[in-house]
Amino acid sequence: NAGVTQTPKFQVLKTGQSMTLQCAQDMNHEYMSWYRQDPGMGLRLIHYSVGAGITDQGEVPNGYNVSRSTTEDFPLRLLSAAPSQTSVYFCASSYSFGWVYGYTFGSGTRLTVV
Amino acid sequence: EDKVVQSPLSLVVHEGDTVTLNCSYEVTNFRSLLWYKQEKKAPTFLFMLTSSGIEKKSGRLSSILDKKELFSILNITATQTGDSAIYLCAVEPENDMRFGAGTRLTVKP
């Protein structure tokens, strides 16, 4: 039981490049979400999904796309990387939104855009 | 606009001290408040609070929620160096979770 797996752990991109951050969970969780963490700002929600085929925008969705074709996977795509997207990205999942034990987080992806 | 404010932003104490971390919030359709501990990487879950006045305890950590005054506190007694971390407060309105900026706690030997 691996929990929430994020790849890659580190990535450096040039401005304008695109890439996909991978997130997979093996706990049959319905709810998955992506956050970015910046110093002094805490975690901010980018996109979330309440089940396969259903996604919605969070607090800071611009510049990111998501899809949820399976329950297990929730990739985050950066369409054209910008230096403002330099951050640490966390994927999280839960049985459902509001699950009493909170969320299970991945170990994070540290992204630098130069 | 929903917001979660934690204080202090940073705190340095010595082993054995007791600390109190604060979290105030303004959200519509409040459902719950959660505390997380973040060390090197991903936050780990500590407490979930939904009802006012009911203290939750786990070892040396305890937390309580005041839904009238819209705040929560996290207490850590007899602190240890292993308590050094960022403590995040998060509030769940609808299908969302809003985090505070966190309190960085440093416990010195």
Side-chain angles (χ1 to χ4, degrees), chain A residues 9 31 35 37 40-43 45 48 50 59 90 97-103 105-107, chain B residues 1 31 34 36 38 41-43 45 48 86 88 92-102:
Chain A
K9 293 188 184 301
Y31 184 83
Y35 296 87
Q37 183 175 20
M41 300 189 74
L43 288 162
L45 180 66
Y48 67 92
V50 297
E59 186 181 0
F90 287 101
F97 184 81
W99 174 246
V100 65
Y101 292 109
Y103 298 92
F105 282 84
S107 58
Chain B
E1 180 181 338
R31 291 172 59 143
L34 299 94
Y36 288 88
Q38 183 176 6
K41 291 185 176 178
F45 173 79
M48 184 176 192
I86 296 173
L88 292 169
E92 294 184 323
E94 296 291 339
N95 271 342
D96 194 358
M97 180 181 280
R98 300 289 170 142
F99 282 83

Side-chain angles (χ1 to χ4, degrees), chain B residues 35-47 60-61 74 76 80-89 105:
Chain B
W35 284 96
Y36 288 88
K37 178 182 181 182
Q38 183 176 6
E39 294 175 273
K40 298 286 185 192
K41 291 185 176 178
T44 54
F45 173 79
L46 295 176
F47 298 110
R60 296 176 294 103
L61 277 66
L74 175 68
I76 308 176
Q80 303 170 356
T81 55
D83 294 327
S84 295
I86 296 173
Y87 290 84
L88 292 169
C89 170
L105 174 65

Side-chain angles (χ1 to χ4, degrees), chain A residues 53-72:
Chain A
I54 306 169
T55 64
D56 206 347
Q57 296 181 350
E59 186 181 0
V60 287
N62 292 338
Y64 308 94
N65 272 357
V66 293
S67 60
R68 186 95 180 269
S69 56
T70 67
T71 298
E72 294 78 20

